[in-house]
Amino acid sequence: MSRRQYPFHLIEPKWQAKWEMEQTFRAFNPGESVPNGHPFGTRHSLAGKNPSATELPPKFYILDMFPYPSGAGLHVGHPEGYTATDILSRYRRACGCNVLHPMGWDSFGLPAEQYAVKTGQHPRKTTDENIANFTRQIKSLGFSYDWSREVATTDPEYFRWTQWVFLQIYNSWFNPETNRAEPISTVKHPTDCDTDQKKRAYRDSKRLAFVSEAPVNWCPELGTVLANEEVIDGKSEVGGFPVIRKPMRQWMLRITAFAERLLADLDTIDWSESLKEMQRNWIGRSEGAGVDFQVDGHAAKIRVFTTRPDTLFGATYMVLSPEYKLVKELTTPGQAAAVNKYQEFASGRSDLERTELAKEKTGVFTGAYAINPVNGEKIPIWIADYVLASYGTGAIMAVPAHDTRDFEFAQKFNLPIVQVVQPPDSKTDWQGFVDEGTSVNSTGPEISITGLSTTEAKKKITAWLEEKGLGKKTINFKLRDWLFSRQRYWGEPFPIIWKRDAAGNLYHEALPESTLPLLPPALDDYKPTADGQPPLARATDWVNLPDSSIRETNTMPQWAGSCWYYLRYLDAKNAQSFVGKEAESYWMGTSASPKFKAQSSKSGDIATAANFELETLNFELGKATPGVDLYVGGTEHAVLHLLYARFWHKVLHDLGHVSTPEPFFKLVNQGLILGEDGQKMSKSRGNVVNPDDVLKEFGADAFRLYEMFMGPLQDTKPWNTRGVEGVYRFLGRVWRLFVDEKAETAFEQAETTAPAPNAELLDILVLNGAIADVAASAAQLKALHACIKKVTEDLDGMRFNTAISAMMVLVNEANTWQTRPLSVMRPFLQLLAPFAPHVAEELWSRLHSTFGQTAPSLTYAPWPAFDPSLLVESEIEIPISVNGKLRDLIRVATDADNATLEAAARSAEKVKPYLEGRTVKKVIVVPRKMVNIVVA
RNA sequence: GCCGGUGUGGCGAAAUGGCAGACGCAUUGGACUUAAAAUCCAAGGGGCCUUUAAAAGCCCGUGCCGGUUCGAGUCCGGCCACCGGCACCA
């Protein structure tokens, strides 16, 4: 494809400059002044005013997941979601919403720091350069972001508030009685907390941000600990380096306290089922019973968690995790050496080894025995690393007959296997049968559940355990507390200092809010110290304070900044607060503006633009959209970012800082874009498509259009350059519908001789003579209104690909028209505008100047309405089938009744032969659709 | 192993239970051109029958098997394949 279809290289920069100068896409907060001449003010009669929340039109908050500005720049996957949200933003503006559509940078992160370690260049410099490049690329695509709200997580004015939010969490606890986060000051100390030190220790143990000395995922290669979520198959998610378990003092956030709410509230939000499932699995709620086992000859009891209390009679041994507290105490002298050795072996094993060697069970007998509470039998106590210290109580009762893992273990170590569940199908082997069935061999001196179904048995035995004080119904979660500290330089420092009390014990204290932001110190060397201290520990001047207290040297993980950025956008410049109350309640709240309510109560029979607008908004209002109305991003954040952000939001909600319990009302995952070879794009495969190259050859409008035309947004689909050419040709056809061919030739000649690209040359172009301010024919109106209907409905349903095909249909038809009425071509440009805004703006302005008008703002021009009456056909073609097989097509009046249709069908030329000599058993007539004749 | 999703032309894909394949790509033919590019027009799931050729006609066809229905790509049951997630969570 050598010839340029239309001068996008002049048009696109021209309109991008215009939008930037005019601040076309600026969203106005309640109370903000709407400048005279701003098209938003003109559209909504708010020019020169300071509208309150109730005077502003209804809000629509449409958000992209902000990117990490990597050195590699954008790939074609980024703009897929961005294009979809941009189209919807422009559509919503046209519909009359106050649209908030911001962009920013998740700019803390490892690559800049690793580069700093290698070269000594400050990560801020790398980060700023990458942000500049990303900004250039994103702006070249013509997205309608309100850049006045841009944020970067690395900006001290931003992370000042990240630190502030951390302090909110730090200064809170979870009150189980109210099921909410509350200020730490409301904690009631137990009576034995009689000293200040004890009170402080108690308070600190309750905080939502707390310090824990637990084994953590340590990655030697990265020199940092990682959250469970960041470890994949025993390797670091970033870089794929081995991860080992190591006990360290770390900051944790008590996300587990919110597990139940994080799970339950999934039902209140409009996310894909698969995404919700991923979160549900991650939270991993399971119901069962905690059961106490007495240890033979000891005072100690061991509590286990089981989801199958009905199999208690089949518990033939018990397993503790190697790290279990009582192991040492219980182990008999004869087994001490073996147990010790095993504990060492297990602690040295990385998660990777644990996973890879999972098939082969290992373990050691402690020499101790427990008493099975249901039948008083002595069962051996083992330790094995297939039992995890961090789940449940770190101890299990083993029921080898009905648990796959226990079965394997029992077989390997020759432990007894006793059947206690009978499978419903008698042919099924009971050994290793883990599903529900009927209890057998389950009768003890005090309790029997033999003969009961699994469900009944569970109920009965749990009740018995509770009554005897031997156990109780328990709910467990897979979700662990969030390991929140990292040994890195390029992250938010904790606003925390450490002091010693009179007894010499270390304790932590928050810095006052007024001292924020706490900036990281300058360093020459960004590596962790040799003894494993974080890089910040190198800055001794910074670490050691005059009063001999010392600073926390860990930094926050990258997720911290992305946990609340969508709130900062609401009021990005606020220096007093992380977000202003009024801005928060307007953009995140659910209350519709009274102005809107007044409007929507008006009635109207004729479908006008204004009426249509109200209908769409009514529809939206009916769905109540608390929080972000639409959030679009990749699936890779299904359990990390999206779970953490929900957690922070709930804390902020409990503390009264935000209006809604959930941050993101509707969420859509865009699908992956594969390379042209159908493989995942990657540098090593050499199949990466760079948007810059595509833009240079085809322009931003074609690029945007192609990304949407490829297929449904949510689907994974391969890139195809030929496909770009196809939509590019479509834009060329649109161009030629509007532009005079001779003038275009002249323009092209002028262009080839021009020394540099010159947008003024566009003035050579004149409008195509076929465009005239004349009445449109019925067929033309019908074509237009069918297109309006389809595009509008498809935009509401986010079916961008079919909306584009509808516009192609219209353009193909318009190509055959001798005259192209203004009243058809003008609304068409409005339909095209969200998809291909640059070319639409250019043609829109030409259309108006040619017909002697000042062009109103295309961005804020009311979305065209379709008139259903124009779509009504007087005659339609309907299929006639005999015995379900299509035999003929007949033309009938649209409103033909059943009798007429049946008669017409029976006498249809190609139907008759099938009816001859047969009896008609039945005739199904669906008016306006089809007729089916059933014959014997 | 568990959970979720997807299977439709050569390719990307469309189809409130009612004409399968809209729209686009690639392909083929034609117009324009000295020629090419670009553009415009047209053809197009597979098979059979007949024919100089075409049209018309008939049969088959939405991963596989079965069911519901006058009618199934669409709904139900059972399989298969691929993609994504989780995975010793008791």
Side-chain angles (χ1 to χ4, degrees):
Chain A
M1 180 159 306
S2 59
R3 188 169 176 262
R4 187 180 279 132
Q5 290 274 348
Y6 69 101
F8 65 82
H9 63 301
L10 299 179
I11 294 173
E12 291 177 358
K14 173 181 162 184
W15 288 99
Q16 285 165 16
K18 169 102 194 293
W19 296 329
E20 186 142 0
M21 201 178 65
E22 185 186 69
Q23 295 190 52
T24 313
F25 310 118
R26 188 171 151 200
F28 294 93
N29 275 6
E32 257 190 301
S33 156
V34 180
N36 272 311
H38 192 282
F40 174 81
T42 311
R43 163 84 185 265
H44 296 287
S45 312
L46 295 170
K49 295 187 185 160
N50 297 52
S52 67
T54 54
E55 289 163 330
L56 282 167
K59 64 97 183 186
F60 201 83
Y61 186 3
I62 182 160
L63 180 69
D64 291 303
M65 287 186 185
F66 67 166
Y68 171 72
S70 74
L74 285 185
H75 55 80
V76 294
H78 283 116
E80 188 192 11
Y82 302 165
T83 303
T85 55
D86 190 62
I87 289 168
L88 293 172
S89 296
R90 289 173 180 272
Y91 168 60
R92 290 285 160 193
R93 281 189 201 98
C95 288
C97 292
N98 190 14
V99 172
L100 177 59
H101 187 43
M103 180 44 77
W105 316 105
D106 189 13
S107 39
F108 276 124
L110 204 52
E113 177 159 335
Q114 283 173 327
Y115 189 72
V117 168
K118 266 188 245 154
T119 65
Q121 171 166 300
H122 196 283
R124 180 165 302 285
K125 185 153 185 289
T126 318
T127 302
D128 287 347
E129 284 165 8
N130 290 347
I131 288 178
N133 187 41
F134 262 68
T135 305
R136 175 191 64 76
Q137 287 189 301
I138 287 179
K139 285 193 172 174
S140 72
L141 283 156
F143 294 139
S144 62
Y145 293 119
D146 178 357
W147 287 102
S148 74
R149 295 169 185 261
E150 179 180 356
V151 301
T153 55
T154 47
D155 181 349
E157 278 312 299
Y158 180 88
F159 70 68
R160 165 188 181 178
W161 296 109
T162 308
Q163 291 169 333
W164 179 87
V165 177
F166 172 79
L167 290 183
Q168 302 306 305
I169 297 168
Y170 176 85
N171 286 318
S172 307
W173 71 298
F174 188 82
N175 185 342
E177 280 166 33
T178 57
N179 199 23
R180 287 159 42 109
E182 290 177 12
I184 192 72
S185 56
T186 65
V187 169
K188 291 196 180 64
H189 300 100
T191 43
D192 60 346
C193 287
D194 46 5
T195 65
D196 282 354
Q197 278 100 323
K198 281 185 188 167
K199 280 186 182 159
R200 180 165 54 225
Y202 185 77
R203 256 198 331 270
D204 288 351
S205 75
K206 292 287 172 187
R207 291 178 191 275
L208 290 184
F210 63 101
V211 173
S212 158
E213 196 85 37
V216 295
N217 304 302
W218 170 257
C219 177
E221 200 74 30
L222 295 174
T224 186
V225 300
L226 298 169
N228 292 321
E229 293 87 327
E230 293 171 304
V231 181
I232 313 284
D233 291 338
K235 284 177 277 186
S236 62
E237 188 182 26
V238 177
F241 303 119
V243 173
I244 61 167
R245 285 172 309 134
K246 182 177 169 180
M248 281 177 86
R249 179 181 61 74
Q250 295 295 331
W251 284 94
M252 311 285 289
L253 299 190
R254 209 179 297 281
I255 190 172
T256 51
F258 291 79
E260 197 77 63
R261 280 165 63 190
L262 287 168
L263 186 68
D265 287 356
L266 284 173
D267 295 336
T268 69
I269 50 184
D270 184 5
W271 294 13
S272 73
E273 202 43 47
S274 67
L275 192 62
K276 287 186 185 182
E277 269 309 300
M278 277 191 231
Q279 292 225 339
R280 287 190 193 113
N281 288 338
W282 194 266
I283 295 167
R285 183 184 194 274
S286 58
E287 277 184 32
V291 184
D292 289 330
F293 282 65
Q294 198 67 49
V295 181
D296 189 34
H298 279 263
K301 276 190 286 194
I302 297 171
R303 168 157 288 208
V304 301
F305 172 71
T306 176
T307 53
R308 292 295 296 272
D310 61 300
T311 62
L312 204 39
F313 285 91
T316 53
Y317 64 102
M318 182 170 230
V319 187
L320 312 180
S321 68
E323 299 87 355
Y324 197 82
K325 304 177 290 292
L326 296 176
V327 172
K328 204 167 191 169
E329 193 185 325
L330 300 177
T331 305
T332 56
Q335 290 299 99
V339 165
N340 242 320
K341 200 174 151 205
Y342 184 76
Q343 282 179 315
E344 247 167 66
F345 159 78
S347 71
R349 277 174 108 188
S350 67
D351 280 1
L352 178 62
E353 286 168 316
R354 278 192 164 202
T355 314
E356 281 190 344
L357 303 173
K359 287 158 207 124
E360 201 48 28
K361 295 268 182 297
T362 60
V364 172
F365 179 43
T366 62
Y369 289 85
I371 311 291
N372 188 334
V374 287
N375 54 16
E377 273 173 30
K378 268 172 70 169
I379 59 174
I381 302 174
W382 286 62
I383 62 170
D385 71 355
Y386 83 89
V387 173
L388 308 175
S390 49
Y391 182 76
T393 61
I396 61 152
M397 64 175 206
V399 184
H402 308 295
D403 180 281
T404 313
R405 298 148 300 182
D406 298 342
F407 186 53
E408 284 170 12
F409 192 82
Q411 282 185 313
K412 179 162 176 186
F413 294 102
N414 285 317
L415 291 156
I417 299 168
V418 176
Q419 181 190 13
V420 289
V421 180
Q422 177 58 43
D425 178 354
S426 57
K427 278 171 286 188
T428 312
D429 186 5
W430 61 265
Q431 295 212 31
F433 175 79
V434 298
D435 295 329
E436 308 211 332
T438 308
S439 288
V440 292
N441 304 329
S442 295
T443 302
E446 297 183 47
I447 170 87
S448 172
I449 51 171
T450 301
L452 296 181
S453 71
T454 298
T455 317
E456 289 300 315
K458 279 183 185 176
K459 264 189 218 158
K460 186 170 178 188
I461 199 151
T462 307
W464 181 80
L465 287 166
E466 292 202 9
E467 187 193 311
K468 291 277 165 185
L470 294 167
K472 62 174 185 189
K473 193 178 166 192
T474 306
I475 293 163
N476 249 307
F477 294 93
K478 280 203 277 183
L479 185 69
R480 312 290 160 79
D481 279 327
W482 177 12
L483 190 135
F484 192 67
S485 44
R486 298 290 183 278
Q487 292 68 49
R488 293 203 187 138
Y489 174 76
W490 197 224
E492 301 88 348
F494 282 78
I496 294 284
I497 53 171
W498 290 82
K499 293 186 169 174
R500 285 189 189 279
D501 63 17
N505 297 314
L506 272 178
Y507 67 92
H508 47 76
E509 211 172 82
L511 291 174
E513 283 176 19
S514 59
T515 64
L516 302 181
L518 171 62
L519 303 173
L523 288 183
D524 310 322
D525 187 347
Y526 300 93
K527 280 196 279 292
T529 67
D531 59 347
Q533 291 283 307
L536 293 190
R538 291 177 181 276
T540 48
D541 291 355
W542 180 85
V543 172
N544 298 298
L545 295 167
D547 67 350
S548 83
S549 57
I550 55 170
R551 288 191 196 277
E552 170 64 56
T553 54
N554 283 299
T555 53
M556 299 185 201
Q558 193 180 355
W559 312 108
S562 57
C563 267
W564 73 284
Y565 75 111
Y566 58 94
L567 293 170
R568 189 60 181 169
Y569 283 142
L570 308 179
D571 202 5
K573 299 284 193 307
N574 195 323
Q576 272 73 51
S577 169
F578 82 117
V579 57
K581 277 243 177 279
E582 203 182 0
E584 194 280 330
S585 76
Y586 174 69
W587 291 113
M588 299 292 284
T590 54
S591 56
S593 84
K595 181 189 171 191
F596 162 68
K597 279 181 184 157
Q599 278 182 358
S600 59
S601 63
K602 276 192 272 177
S603 66
D605 327 327
I606 321 151
T608 64
N611 279 330
F612 169 71
E613 177 185 321
L614 293 176
E615 274 171 37
T616 342
L617 295 176
N618 255 330
F619 175 65
E620 280 307 318
L621 188 71
K623 293 203 306 187
T625 50
V628 174
D629 296 80
L630 178 66
Y631 193 22
V632 175
T635 340
E636 64 273 21
H637 295 117
V639 285
L640 302 168
H641 159 62
L642 288 173
L643 197 63
Y644 295 152
R646 292 180 62 218
F647 163 47
W648 279 34
H649 197 87
K650 288 192 183 307
V651 176
L652 291 170
H653 178 61
D654 288 353
L655 298 176
H657 296 300
V658 297
S659 318
T660 61
E662 283 288 331
F664 314 119
F665 175 71
K666 183 179 170 76
L667 185 134
V668 171
N669 288 124
Q670 87 259 17
L672 205 62
I673 295 185
L674 305 172
E676 288 202 75
D677 54 0
Q679 302 285 311
K680 214 170 189 167
M681 278 194 198
S682 76
K683 258 192 208 157
S684 57
R685 285 203 187 86
N687 60 356
V688 175
V689 180
N690 183 341
D692 284 345
D693 299 337
V694 182
L695 254 61
K696 203 171 163 211
E697 197 172 352
F698 305 105
D701 284 336
F703 180 86
R704 294 165 54 113
L705 213 51
Y706 176 63
E707 290 243 348
M708 294 299 102
F709 189 61
M710 291 170 83
L713 181 65
Q714 293 89 338
D715 288 8
T716 299
K717 44 214 174 274
W719 184 267
N720 177 5
T721 301
R722 300 281 200 182
V724 192
E725 289 171 20
V727 293
Y728 180 53
R729 270 200 284 269
F730 162 69
L731 289 177
R733 276 198 292 277
V734 171
W735 179 257
R736 291 186 295 273
L737 278 182
F738 285 85
V739 173
D740 180 72
E741 209 181 311
K742 282 202 193 95
E744 207 184 352
T745 313
F747 161 80
E748 275 168 17
Q749 280 166 355
E751 247 240 299
T752 42
T753 55
N758 180 357
E760 283 174 24
L761 291 179
L762 289 169
D763 293 342
I764 297 172
L765 298 166
V766 290
L767 213 57
N768 194 308
I771 296 190
D773 193 1
V774 296
S777 72
Q780 288 170 330
L781 281 175
K782 196 179 133 195
L784 171 69
H785 283 255
C787 186
I788 297 174
K789 180 173 194 283
K790 181 82 178 137
V791 171
T792 305
E793 289 171 354
D794 284 352
L795 282 175
D796 286 331
M798 296 182 73
R799 294 179 296 268
F800 304 102
N801 54 334
T802 49
I804 293 167
S805 87
M807 290 189 283
M808 288 173 167
V809 171
L810 179 64
V811 166
N812 288 346
E813 191 172 338
N815 244 322
T816 67
W817 296 343
Q818 293 302 309
T819 59
R820 309 204 257 269
L822 187 60
S823 59
V824 172
M825 302 314 282
R826 211 187 103 113
F828 165 69
L829 285 179
Q830 292 181 263
L831 300 181
L832 181 66
F835 299 85
H838 308 88
V839 69
E841 286 270 19
E842 181 65 27
L843 295 173
W844 177 261
S845 77
R846 280 180 187 283
L847 210 57
H848 287 84
S849 61
T850 301
F851 290 95
Q853 304 158 20
T854 312
S857 166
L858 178 52
T859 301
Y860 291 96
W863 188 253
F866 67 87
D867 180 348
S869 68
L870 292 171
L871 298 177
V872 175
E873 304 261 6
S874 60
E875 218 180 40
I876 48 169
E877 195 172 55
I878 67 163
I880 309 302
S881 44
V882 178
N883 285 350
K885 286 203 159 105
L886 176 71
R887 295 303 175 192
D888 204 354
L889 297 169
I890 56 169
R891 288 200 71 83
V892 292
T894 308
D895 55 3
D897 60 22
N898 289 16
T900 315
L901 282 169
E902 183 174 339
R906 280 171 181 268
S907 58
E909 199 67 25
K910 292 169 192 163
V911 169
K912 277 196 240 165
Y914 290 95
L915 303 183
E916 253 160 49
R918 299 172 199 212
T919 36
V920 173
K921 280 166 54 183
K922 194 172 177 183
V923 179
I924 292 103
V925 181
V926 183
R928 304 170 63 104
K929 286 284 182 204
M930 48 72 66
V931 177
N932 186 20
I933 301 170
V934 185
V935 298

